[in-house]
Amino acid sequence: MQFVLILSLVAAAIGSGLVAGIFFAFSTFIMTAFSRIPAEQGIAAMNSINVTIVRSPFMALFVPTAILCIVIAVLALMNWRGSASALMLTGAALYVFASFLSTIIFNVPMNDALEKVSGSGPEAVGLWATYLRDWTWWNHVRTVASLLASMAFVWALMVV
């Protein structure tokens, strides 16, 4: 059981760390670059990313890491190990709630709304400005949560 726990923590630390890196790229330069081009081009670029990402290896990282976090939470509760279990639960909660579920609840609906807009009229320009602000804010949340989850899993590895 100890081997399964260690392997799970290592995989979750790596998975959440990689996801944090992807989100970090969007927060620090991709969305800024998109904000510097005309709305019609930014919308087209983001819509292309949104179609591509669901068919990419990202999904083979993002979803299984969430599942692994749930497994880690169960393992932590089944065999309480003091601070190690608290760190495991913290990492799992950060990733599942603030990274994974916030994506589903906030970012995906914004992506769906953006997909319905084309052109460069006032409606598209207004939606794009709101999208850039709100989507990026939630992406910052996902970035920080994924990074903190990774750190919690590494810390749990050090004390388990």
Side-chain angles (χ1 to χ4, degrees), residues 68-130:
L68 187 57
C69 286
I70 293 167
V71 169
I72 288 169
V74 169
L75 291 172
L77 292 170
M78 286 177 52
N79 186 9
W80 190 259
R81 301 161 190 258
S83 62
S85 289
L87 288 164
M88 291 162 55
L89 285 174
T90 299
L94 282 165
Y95 188 86
V96 169
F97 293 108
S99 181
F100 187 79
L101 289 179
S102 73
T103 298
I104 294 167
I105 294 168
F106 299 108
N107 295 82
V108 170
M110 285 187 263
N111 293 345
D112 292 344
L114 189 68
E115 181 183 28
K116 296 175 182 156
V117 175
S118 62
S120 58
E123 179 186 334
V125 172
L127 176 67
W128 182 238
T130 301

Side-chain angles (χ1 to χ4, degrees), residues 27-43 45 128-129 132 136:
S27 282
T28 59
F29 64 89
I30 294 171
M31 298 309 285
T32 302
F34 286 171
S35 73
R36 293 183 178 168
I37 59 178
E40 184 175 11
Q41 293 173 7
I43 291 168
W128 182 238
L132 284 168
T136 303

